[in-house]
Amino acid sequence: PLVHGNQIDAASTVILARKNDDLVKMASILDEWRIPYVLNSSASILNHRVVKPLMFLLRYFVYKDVFELLRFLRSDYVLMHAGDLQQVLLAYRDLATDHSSFADLFNSLTHIPVMEKISSLNNHADLVQIGSMEILKFVKETCEEFNVINLFPLESDINNLNLFLHMIADFEN
């Protein structure tokens, strides 16, 4: 594209669209070309590469949907290997047949380092659901636990994460 040939300055370029779907398509193209960007639509911020894994994890904790957990485990936050992912799936299958709790699932997978982190977050998520912990605090702890700022050091990524955190803070107020 023109930006890689220095024919256009990405920092001073604005892309306008009438529909959020068009912004989402543009964001995926910009991600593909590793061009930094800031989304200003509150609907499309949820699709930004920094925010999307957080949404997977939040959906998992709210709905206990194992597919959302798997999406999170395959996201840039974790990049879980296929062998470990298979172990998670097999443990979940066993959980479903034994009618065990999700805590049992995490306890059976503590040999996978990231599952210990998620187990700790699972305990906090229970507090979020009963209302004794703020969602914003939970999301911040998740970002710290997975070192999100170092995973996504671009200013545009940090701006989009901050925008998401502001949305959560507004939601809680």
Side-chain angles (χ1 to χ4, degrees):
L2 296 175
V3 73
H4 291 303
N6 291 325
Q7 296 175 358
I8 190 170
D9 179 20
S12 63
T13 301
V14 176
I15 299 172
L16 300 175
R18 291 181 186 247
K19 300 178 191 172
N20 282 330
D21 290 344
D22 295 336
L23 287 175
V24 169
K25 289 175 190 172
M26 288 305 305
S28 69
I29 291 168
L30 293 171
D31 278 340
E32 183 180 317
W33 284 94
R34 310 265 288 148
I35 298 171
Y37 62 93
V38 175
L39 290 173
N40 284 327
S41 168
S42 61
S44 61
I45 191 69
L46 302 179
N47 291 315
H48 189 272
R49 66 187 184 143
V50 176
V51 175
K52 200 170 201 171
L54 289 168
M55 292 303 299
F56 293 149
L57 191 61
L58 287 170
R59 280 191 211 111
Y60 164 70
F61 284 130
V62 170
Y63 301 113
K64 299 298 184 198
D65 181 349
V66 73
F67 294 109
E68 295 295 340
L69 175 62
L70 296 175
R71 287 181 183 102
F72 176 75
L73 294 174
R74 293 296 296 161
S75 75
D76 289 339
Y77 280 34
V78 179
L79 294 173
M80 182 176 273
H81 293 84
D84 290 341
L85 198 62
Q86 182 180 16
Q87 289 182 38
V88 172
L89 282 169
L90 292 173
Y92 177 75
R93 181 194 65 192
D94 296 342
L95 168 84
T97 57
D98 294 344
H99 303 293
S100 302
S101 70
F102 279 95
D104 294 334
L105 171 70
F106 296 122
N107 290 335
S108 70
L109 296 167
T110 55
H111 61 282
I112 302 173
V114 72
M115 296 309 289
E116 279 191 68
K117 290 181 182 180
I118 295 175
S119 177
S120 171
L121 291 172
N122 186 52
N123 296 334
H124 293 218
D126 290 339
L127 295 175
V128 169
Q129 288 187 357
I130 61 171
S132 62
M133 183 179 186
E134 299 171 350
I135 296 171
L136 181 61
K137 182 178 177 186
F138 175 77
V139 170
K140 284 181 177 180
E141 285 181 11
T142 302
C143 290
E144 289 172 11
E145 189 69 41
F146 288 94
N147 204 11
V148 171
I149 298 299
N150 289 330
L151 280 176
F152 301 97
L154 295 176
E155 183 180 347
S156 60
D157 293 330
I158 294 168
N159 287 342
N160 281 305
L161 179 60
N162 283 328
L163 178 59
F164 180 64
L165 294 173
H166 284 289
M167 287 172 55
I168 293 171
D170 288 344
F171 174 77
E172 288 186 336
N173 292 331

